[in-house]
Amino acid sequence: MKNALQQQQKLNFSMTPELRQAIELLQYSTAELERYIREQEMENPLIELKERENSELGTAEIPRSFPSQRRPQMPLETIASSEDNTRDSLYRNAKLIYSDEAVQKLLKFLIYNLDDNGYLDFPGPAGPFNEDQIETGIHLLQKVGPAGIGARNLKECLLLQIQYLHPEKTAAKKMVEHHLDLLAARKWKELSSLLKISLEEIKEIHLLIRTLQPKPCSFTCGFVPHYVKPDIVIEIVNNELSFKLNDSYLPSIHINTCYLPNHRPKDEASGYISSQFQKVQWLLTSIEQRRDTLIKIMDVLIDRQENFFKLGFDHLNPLTLKEVADEIGMHESTISRAVSNKVVQTAFGSIELKRLFSSKLMDSEGNGVSQTAVKLLMKKFISHEDKHKPYSDQKIADYLAASEGIPISRRTISKYRDELNIPSANGRKEL
């Protein structure tokens, strides 16, 4: 075998910093892009930002939400709250009710160890107080705050509320204390047998327990809604759809001409200026590419999801990322990055853009049906069930196959039900 030198030509993909920047910008929401631009201004002396005059900033008008995998027919909300430390208020009430300094010291320790839901939360040992003192302090707290405050778990919280609000309900206390797991599983007949009471009494206790508060108090109050800034705004004029990118509030990027005379590769300073100048060019190019990609995607969505934008989620057509990618001549991963973290404002609220993409399920006639439409059919069917005999997952699958012509497995029904936060048949069963 003879050794020889051979020449080969290969193409290798290299992730350059500029390409990485373009990919990152594609995934940014408009608000995140604004922050990124202002960060670049601080790092790059060639960047000079100018605020746009009379820029219009759209906001979401309907503050409701559908977080990930929950109730996809609801619009999006972003709620921020200002903290108001009501622990101080509770402690002031405690000092008014109890004059003993030792009691005040105990209650102060407990109040400032409550979590945001009013439960007692010790990061370590209970400080200078023993278990009996803690138990006494919890009962003293019931006169300071709402019943159940200071409980260490859900069972104790419910028991405190029954003890101080419904002391005559001994059967309810016994049920919570010894059979809370059976109550959660809705084992009505088993509870009736163990407690030796009728199903009618079980029902009364169940209704009573449902009135109790699992979170006795909240230390986050004074909510002030801050509406999300949509990235795209859909408009309907004379029954015709149009859209606009909501980026008019972004500052315009200009190049500081003071440094341009040094834009020649002669020494270290001029080399630095040249590299920064190239970064500005790449930033402008990446922003423009992001904008062009979003426009192309929205052109397809306006065409393919016209009924959705006019009528809502009941009319969402099945549409995949690959279908959009093929139509505009881009890779599926590019579409996925472009629609992530984006919010579109519609006539019925603001939603995440990625929710407009739904996998196909085929009906008996070979037509595509979106997952969202199937979930809505499921939810509607379950809402009309007899709560004494709720439908099983198999029964729901049989209904969709027989009445809607959508063959679907029981496991898929279970998956969709979990995504909609709908309990199983046992969890929905009522007396």
Side-chain angles (χ1 to χ4, degrees):
M1 184 175 179
K2 187 177 180 180
N3 293 330
L5 293 175
Q6 292 183 344
Q7 189 175 25
Q8 290 183 340
Q9 189 175 20
K10 293 183 179 180
L11 290 176
N12 292 323
F13 181 81
S14 177
M15 180 67 76
T16 63
E18 292 80 8
L19 181 58
R20 186 179 295 108
Q21 179 192 62
I23 292 175
E24 289 177 355
L25 292 189
L26 194 60
Q27 299 178 92
Y28 285 164
S29 67
T30 309
E32 291 170 336
L33 178 60
E34 180 190 13
R35 288 195 293 270
Y36 181 80
I37 291 173
R38 297 192 185 280
E39 288 173 1
Q40 292 302 302
E41 180 192 26
M42 302 295 292
E43 297 176 4
N44 193 329
L46 294 186
I47 294 179
E48 186 176 293
L49 300 183
K50 292 185 179 179
E51 303 300 328
R52 301 178 191 268
E53 296 182 0
N54 301 322
S55 62
E56 296 180 1
L57 174 59
T59 56
E61 298 296 339
I62 304 178
R64 297 294 302 168
S65 71
F66 66 94
S68 178
Q69 302 300 332
R70 287 191 312 166
R71 297 175 62 185
Q73 73 275 19
M74 299 300 291
L76 176 79
E77 74 177 346
T78 300
I79 298 293
S81 65
S82 59
E83 296 282 345
D84 180 17
N85 193 356
T86 54
R87 293 176 180 82
D88 296 335
S89 177
L90 282 174
Y91 181 53
R92 286 194 295 268
N93 291 341
K95 290 196 293 185
L96 290 175
I97 297 173
Y98 303 105
S99 57
D100 186 271
E101 289 187 5
V103 172
Q104 290 180 5
K105 183 178 179 181
L106 170 62
L107 294 183
K108 181 178 181 180
F109 175 80
L110 296 180
I111 288 171
Y112 286 98
N113 277 285
L114 296 175
D115 66 15
D116 288 344
N117 294 317
Y119 282 84
L120 202 55
D121 182 23
F122 292 119
F129 305 102
N130 59 39
E131 185 64 27
D132 290 337
Q133 291 174 313
I134 295 296
E135 189 74 26
T136 300
I138 290 173
H139 287 277
L140 294 176
L141 269 180
Q142 306 311 304
K143 293 184 179 180
V144 177
I149 188 173
R152 287 159 289 190
N153 51 58
L154 176 61
K155 179 187 289 187
E156 186 177 19
C157 178
L158 298 178
L159 287 173
L160 285 170
Q161 292 180 65
I162 293 172
Q163 179 178 347
Y164 286 93
L165 300 179
H166 309 281
E168 74 284 358
K169 303 294 184 179
T170 55
K173 179 181 178 182
K174 187 176 180 181
M175 183 184 293
V176 171
E177 190 169 8
H178 301 290
H179 309 296
L180 190 59
D181 55 337
L182 296 179
L183 178 63
R186 301 188 174 218
K187 303 289 186 180
W188 310 125
K189 292 183 179 180
E190 192 172 344
L191 285 170
S192 176
S193 175
L194 288 170
L195 297 174
K196 296 180 172 54
I197 57 179
S198 66
L199 286 174
E200 187 62 32
E201 291 176 286
I202 293 290
K203 182 177 181 179
E204 291 179 3
I205 294 173
H206 178 236
L207 293 176
L208 170 67
I209 293 175
R210 288 179 63 176
T211 65
L212 305 180
Q213 296 296 326
K215 299 177 181 179
C217 61
S218 174
F219 293 102
T220 54
C221 58
F223 286 94
V224 178
H226 296 288
Y227 295 102
V228 66
K229 299 175 183 177
D231 302 279
I232 303 115
V233 178
I234 303 295
E235 297 177 335
I236 304 177
V237 180
N238 297 326
N239 206 35
E240 292 293 328
L241 286 173
S242 63
F243 73 92
K244 64 179 180 181
L245 300 186
N246 187 32
D247 55 4
S248 59
Y249 63 93
L250 291 178
S252 58
I253 301 175
H254 298 266
I255 297 177
N256 191 334
T257 57
C258 296
Y259 294 95
L260 290 183
N262 294 322
H263 180 41
R264 297 184 183 88
K266 293 181 297 184
D267 52 26
E268 184 177 347
S270 61
Y272 171 77
I273 296 299
S274 296
S275 66
Q276 296 303 311
F277 181 79
Q278 188 177 18
K279 288 181 180 180
V280 179
Q281 297 294 334
W282 269 104
L283 177 61
L284 292 170
T285 302
S286 299
I287 292 174
E288 191 59 32
Q289 286 178 345
R290 173 188 178 276
R291 182 180 176 85
D292 290 342
T293 302
L294 284 175
I295 290 174
K296 290 178 181 178
I297 293 173
M298 287 308 302
D299 283 335
V300 177
L301 290 176
I302 288 289
D303 179 57
R304 301 284 290 273
Q305 301 288 11
E306 180 178 359
N307 289 333
F308 161 76
F309 288 120
K310 291 181 178 178
L311 303 173
F313 271 96
D314 288 345
H315 302 271
L316 182 65
N317 294 322
L319 182 66
T320 63
L321 295 171
K322 188 177 187 308
E323 289 176 321
V324 176
D326 291 342
E327 189 161 339
I328 64 178
M330 292 184 176
H331 195 273
E332 184 178 349
S333 63
T334 302
I335 306 301
S336 177
R337 292 186 178 99
V339 301
S340 65
N341 303 317
K342 308 298 188 301
V343 174
V344 55
Q345 180 175 310
T346 69
F348 47 87
S350 292
I351 60 171
E352 293 173 307
L353 186 59
K354 63 183 179 181
R355 298 301 177 191
L356 303 188
F357 296 87
S358 179
S359 300
K360 286 184 180 180
L361 293 172
M362 305 305 294
D363 61 18
S364 57
E365 298 179 356
N367 299 318
V369 182
S370 71
Q371 288 184 3
T372 303
V374 174
K375 291 177 184 178
L376 292 175
L377 288 171
M378 279 180 50
K379 188 174 181 181
K380 184 177 180 181
F381 182 58
I382 292 173
S383 67
H384 291 94
E385 70 184 357
D386 181 357
K387 297 305 178 183
H388 302 105
K389 296 180 180 179
Y391 300 130
S392 65
D393 291 344
Q394 187 59 54
K395 182 74 173 179
I396 298 172
D398 294 341
Y399 161 77
L400 291 175
S403 301
E404 304 295 336
I406 304 173
I408 188 170
S409 68
R410 181 195 61 79
R411 293 180 63 182
T412 304
I413 292 294
S414 176
K415 173 187 171 184
Y416 289 173
R417 182 173 47 73
D418 290 339
E419 291 175 355
L420 292 169
N421 286 334
I422 297 176
S424 64
N426 285 337
R428 303 195 306 273
K429 188 175 183 180
E430 294 182 1
L431 278 168

